[in-house]
Amino acid sequence: MNKILKLKTIALFFAMLSLVNSQAFAESVAQFESNIINKYYKTSLTDRYENDGINQEVATKLANFIESNSQSFEYPFKNLLDKNLLLLNYSPDRKLKFYTVNISAGGSMREFASYVQFKQGKKVITQALNDGGVIKAIRQTQLNNIPTYLISRTYIGSGCVGAYGIQATQIKNAQYKTVSVFKTKTKALNQIDVSYDCNFYPKNIQPFDMDRHYIRVSENLKNIDILLIKPSGALTQNYLRYQKTKDNYQYIGTVK
């Protein structure tokens, strides 16, 4: 009986210790979040914010923190989101968490730094993404029986021109990698981009929804359509269709 009581006591001790550690961690993340807001939020409301490189400083501090604090994967960073100091996106299966920070340094061109976190067993891996676009949507499908993520981004070159893109990625060998699943007539691509010029935007579509007009993705993810644009920048009514097969998206021709 005494042995059983001792085992229960030990188990209770470790459970309480785990709870204390979890609470301490939550407080440390909350403190990090509070420190970022206290130091940078008021600055972000002034004209000097971008020219002084504050955007990049926030991104660097965030990247260092999430890389060294694996439980940040579970933390919602609601206060940073509310202050527009951070954008978060999750894959539909919630296995990928994307952090995006505005690192623009003045002018109308917008640049963003993104990081992805995912779990491998009990380990959380954080990777920097070499991509300057802002993530708009993440979709998920199966290709060759492997979870495949379709990342939609907007690239802002100036106040009126830029590009919309869709990229295919997977987790391979404990790394987040692009995969060449878009099969054209001559090659395989891991990403498709289409340039935009707001002077040619359709009048009946809100600017926020324009990326979904230039790159159409069917709800069941069977078809991905890329808008055809004239050399002048004028839009057509035609799309290049990529249709899902067992292991890729194969170009099949032009559709309306």
Side-chain angles (χ1 to χ4, degrees):
M1 179 65 70
N2 288 337
K3 186 176 181 180
I4 293 174
L5 288 175
K6 284 182 180 180
L7 289 174
K8 287 184 176 180
T9 301
I10 292 171
L12 179 61
F13 170 77
F14 280 109
M16 293 179 65
L17 182 63
S18 176
L19 179 61
V20 169
N21 288 339
S22 297
Q23 290 174 337
F25 176 80
E27 290 172 2
S28 71
V29 182
Q31 188 60 55
F32 166 80
E33 190 174 36
S34 179
N35 290 343
I36 290 290
I37 291 170
N38 291 338
K39 184 172 182 180
Y40 297 111
Y41 181 61
K42 289 183 179 180
T43 310
S44 73
L45 302 180
T46 71
D47 292 335
R48 294 178 52 217
Y49 181 69
E50 291 189 354
N51 292 330
D52 286 352
I54 301 301
N55 280 330
Q56 183 63 66
E57 193 171 329
V58 171
T60 300
K61 286 184 180 294
L62 177 70
N64 291 339
F65 182 84
I66 63 176
E67 187 172 7
S68 59
N69 292 271
S70 63
Q71 291 186 47
S72 57
F73 184 78
E74 308 293 344
Y75 191 79
F77 291 98
K78 183 178 184 301
N79 294 325
L80 288 181
L81 296 177
D82 290 343
K83 299 296 185 183
N84 293 320
L85 290 172
L86 173 67
L87 297 172
L88 285 181
N89 286 278
Y90 295 86
S91 59
D93 60 8
R94 306 290 289 189
K95 291 184 178 181
L96 301 181
K97 182 180 184 181
F98 294 85
Y99 301 77
T100 301
V101 184
N102 179 3
I103 58 168
S104 304
S108 57
M109 181 178 178
R110 303 284 89 186
E111 292 184 272
F112 300 87
S114 293
Y115 311 89
V116 63
Q117 279 185 321
F118 56 94
K119 286 185 176 180
Q120 290 288 287
K122 294 183 178 180
K123 185 179 180 181
V124 173
I125 296 174
T126 302
Q127 279 185 226
L129 304 181
N130 298 320
D131 199 294
V134 57
I135 297 174
K136 294 294 294 293
I138 301 168
R139 301 172 178 89
Q140 182 178 340
T141 189
Q142 291 279 122
L143 292 176
N144 203 21
N145 296 319
I146 300 173
T148 303
Y149 305 94
L150 302 173
I151 317 299
S152 295
R153 288 186 178 87
T154 297
Y155 303 89
I156 305 172
S158 73
C160 197
V161 299
Y164 302 115
I166 187 164
Q167 182 184 70
T169 65
Q170 295 175 349
I171 302 297
K172 289 187 172 182
N173 300 320
Q175 284 192 308
Y176 174 85
K177 294 182 177 181
T178 59
V179 287
S180 298
V181 303
F182 302 113
K183 303 291 185 179
T184 72
K185 289 182 178 180
T186 59
K187 57 186 175 181
L189 305 172
N190 60 47
Q191 179 163 330
I192 299 176
D193 296 327
V194 55
S195 298
Y196 69 80
D197 181 333
C198 71
N199 293 305
F200 294 100
Y201 274 174
K203 302 299 183 184
N204 61 335
I205 300 176
Q206 294 296 319
F208 183 80
D209 294 325
M210 205 61 67
D211 59 314
R212 289 181 283 184
H213 178 73
Y214 279 68
I215 300 179
R216 299 188 312 199
V217 182
S218 63
E219 189 173 347
N220 61 4
L221 304 185
K222 180 180 178 181
N223 297 317
I224 297 175
D225 299 336
I226 309 299
L227 183 63
L228 274 172
I229 301 175
K230 296 179 181 179
S232 65
L235 308 186
T236 72
Q237 295 183 340
N238 298 318
Y239 289 81
L240 303 176
R241 171 156 290 181
Y242 290 81
Q243 194 165 84
K244 183 181 175 183
T245 68
K246 179 178 177 293
D247 54 11
N248 58 48
Y249 278 88
Q250 179 71 51
Y251 171 70
I252 61 168
T254 305
V255 298
K256 295 290 187 181

